Amino acid sequence: MIAFATVGIFAAQPLSAQVARVQPPAQEDAPIAYLQDLTSGQVLLSREADRRFMPASITKVMTTFLSFEWIEEGRLVPRQVFTVDPVVWDEWNNVGSTMFLPNRARVTVDDLIHGVTTVSANDGAAALAHGAAGSIEAWVSAMNAKARETGMRDSHFGTPNGWMDNGKTFTTARDLGLLAATMIRKHPSKYRHYVGRTEFTYNGITQPNHDPISGRVPGADGIKTGFTNQAGYGFLGSAERKGRRLVMVVAGSPRSSVRDRAARQLLEWGFQEFEQTRLLARGAILGEAQVQGGDTGAVDLVAPQGVFVSLPKGADPKVKMTITYRGPLRAPIAANEQVAELLVQADGMPEYRVPLHAAEDVGEAGILDQVANGIRGWLR
């Protein structure tokens, strides 16, 4: 059973007039385009967001995310040193983008991740995968398991670096947006340390980052470009301004210059054409959910990060918020456990959902609790 409770309907205040309008990139410049506001959770633009394509080097974002996860779990340590395997070196030496790893070089995990994120090192991704998992195949298997765990439903990886593999590696813009959002939310300090650097020096060789937005779009900090002859040029990027973060994907662009322009245009459109309003403060109690078998019959629900809505400038829509959960919930419930969602509907915009967490622990009911809960249920 799914329970519903309307929290409220709000009329948004009229927003400031727009002087010079920014448009999203044209279809021919970015056949695939996706823009999400991570602060509110809204999707602001979705063009062919579920169409599968070959991500090429954008694959390395999953290798980066898996590295962050393994560091968090203690399975990798940034100062840890790997020796480049001769077989891996022979396969990947000077293949595509490279950090110029010598054969049998001793290299830290920190340098390998920087090589992957900053100069798109194919050899670095392969050496990291082999050193961390014991084989590239085992690492790729872990990449796919992590993709499923993250909720990426239309993605599969065949290599750690996205090199051509006869179509085994594919993804969608929506999945890449989810990957970026999860990486940024779960690992903010690692993201700041490894992503968005303008250059990287290894073994005396300095190479620039070819990210088209960092240093060009205010607040931009990465994330990764990609190119294949079959799929064209793509980019997964993110930027933050005044506490508001956007994640974007463009793919299928015919030339790198077109992709770069489309990426910058999409972010500027998101920041300039939408204004954000806070509907509910961080930690505000939105309502309650019924609990079965608990030492109390209900639990308060909170939105840990607050509730925000981004609306087109000049718009004045009504915003409706409804609590939904599959209930009654069953005890025990831990404080801060996600147990429900807030459905937010604004006229003219795609609906979106905000996770709601339990405000406090709910233990399993004792005999007296069961009697009291039964009496309360009968009185209703």
Side-chain angles (χ1 to χ4, degrees):
M1 170 180 155
I2 300 178
F4 300 89
T6 299
V7 176
I9 299 177
F10 301 87
Q13 295 299 313
L15 301 172
S16 59
Q18 181 71 7
V19 178
R21 302 300 298 269
V22 178
Q23 299 296 327
Q27 176 91 29
E28 58 268 25
D29 290 347
I32 298 172
Y34 182 79
L35 182 66
Q36 184 176 19
D37 186 325
L38 290 197
T39 310
S40 67
Q42 289 171 271
V43 175
L44 304 182
L45 180 71
S46 179
R47 178 190 297 161
E48 298 282 358
D50 298 308
R51 174 175 147 194
R52 291 180 176 180
F53 65 94
M54 289 172 281
S57 284
I58 303 175
T59 297
K60 297 184 180 87
V61 180
M62 176 52 80
T63 281
T64 301
F65 176 58
L66 183 58
S67 299
F68 290 177
E69 292 279 276
W70 282 22
I71 289 172
E72 195 71 18
E73 296 167 11
R75 300 175 66 178
L76 273 179
V77 178
R79 65 177 179 273
Q80 187 176 356
V81 175
F82 293 148
T83 299
V84 178
D85 183 81
V87 174
V88 172
W89 183 86
D90 187 60
E91 182 177 0
W92 293 104
N93 178 44
N94 287 328
V95 175
S97 302
T98 177
M99 60 187 286
F100 300 104
L101 285 170
N103 191 12
R104 299 183 186 277
R106 289 176 55 77
V107 57
T108 65
V109 167
D110 186 75
D111 274 342
L112 288 172
I113 299 175
H114 274 298
V116 168
T117 58
T118 307
V119 300
S120 193
N122 288 323
D123 54 349
L128 176 63
H130 187 275
S135 72
I136 289 177
E137 293 75 18
W139 179 266
V140 170
S141 177
M143 290 170 67
N144 286 309
K146 185 60 66 174
R148 291 190 296 271
E149 178 186 318
T150 304
M152 299 172 68
R153 297 174 180 168
D154 286 297
S155 298
H156 185 268
F157 300 100
T159 70
N161 51 30
W163 192 252
M164 294 170 287
D165 61 0
N166 297 315
K168 293 178 183 177
T169 297
F170 57 83
T171 190
T172 66
R174 193 181 306 278
D175 275 1
L176 287 179
L178 174 61
L179 172 60
T182 306
M183 179 171 68
I184 292 167
R185 285 171 174 154
K186 290 188 69 175
H187 305 289
S189 62
K190 298 181 189 67
Y191 179 80
R192 288 191 298 269
H193 178 70
Y194 288 107
V195 179
R197 299 296 181 94
T198 57
E199 62 181 23
F200 173 64
T201 300
Y202 173 75
N203 202 24
I205 302 170
T206 299
Q207 299 183 73
N209 189 339
H210 296 293
D211 158 12
I213 62 172
S214 296
R216 297 174 178 86
V217 174
D221 51 17
I223 301 171
K224 192 72 199 71
T225 57
F227 166 73
T228 64
N229 287 322
Q230 300 96 325
Y233 292 85
F235 179 65
L236 168 63
S238 184
E240 184 177 26
R241 294 183 193 171
K242 298 179 180 178
R244 180 179 173 222
R245 179 171 286 280
L246 303 182
V247 163
M248 51 77 53
V249 179
V250 293
S253 298
R255 297 184 302 279
S256 60
S257 60
V258 174
R259 171 202 61 196
D260 296 353
R261 182 178 69 242
R264 294 191 284 264
Q265 188 176 350
L266 183 55
L267 279 174
E268 288 297 348
W269 176 74
F271 280 117
Q272 295 189 30
E273 292 298 313
F274 292 83
E275 286 188 343
Q276 191 170 90
T277 299
R278 188 180 73 176
L279 300 177
L280 292 165
R282 178 193 299 261
I285 295 176
L286 281 76
E288 64 178 27
Q290 299 304 307
V291 178
Q292 186 176 51
D295 54 16
T296 181
V299 62
D300 287 335
L301 301 173
V302 300
Q305 305 305 319
V307 180
F308 297 82
V309 63
S310 290
L311 300 170
K313 287 188 175 180
D316 186 19
K318 286 186 172 62
V319 180
K320 179 181 178 182
M321 298 187 294
T322 306
I323 294 171
T324 69
Y325 63 97
R326 191 171 295 277
L329 306 176
R330 293 192 62 83
I333 298 169
N336 204 38
E337 178 183 346
Q338 182 183 337
V339 293
E341 292 181 318
L342 184 70
L343 174 65
V344 184
Q345 298 166 299
D347 294 343
M349 296 287 293
E351 66 184 31
Y352 61 101
R353 294 175 182 271
V354 178
L356 297 181
H357 293 199
E360 62 275 321
D361 292 326
V362 178
E364 292 187 84
I367 297 298
L368 293 179
D369 295 318
Q370 293 176 23
V371 172
N373 289 339
I375 292 172
R376 279 195 294 266
W378 180 76
L379 291 175
R380 289 194 189 99

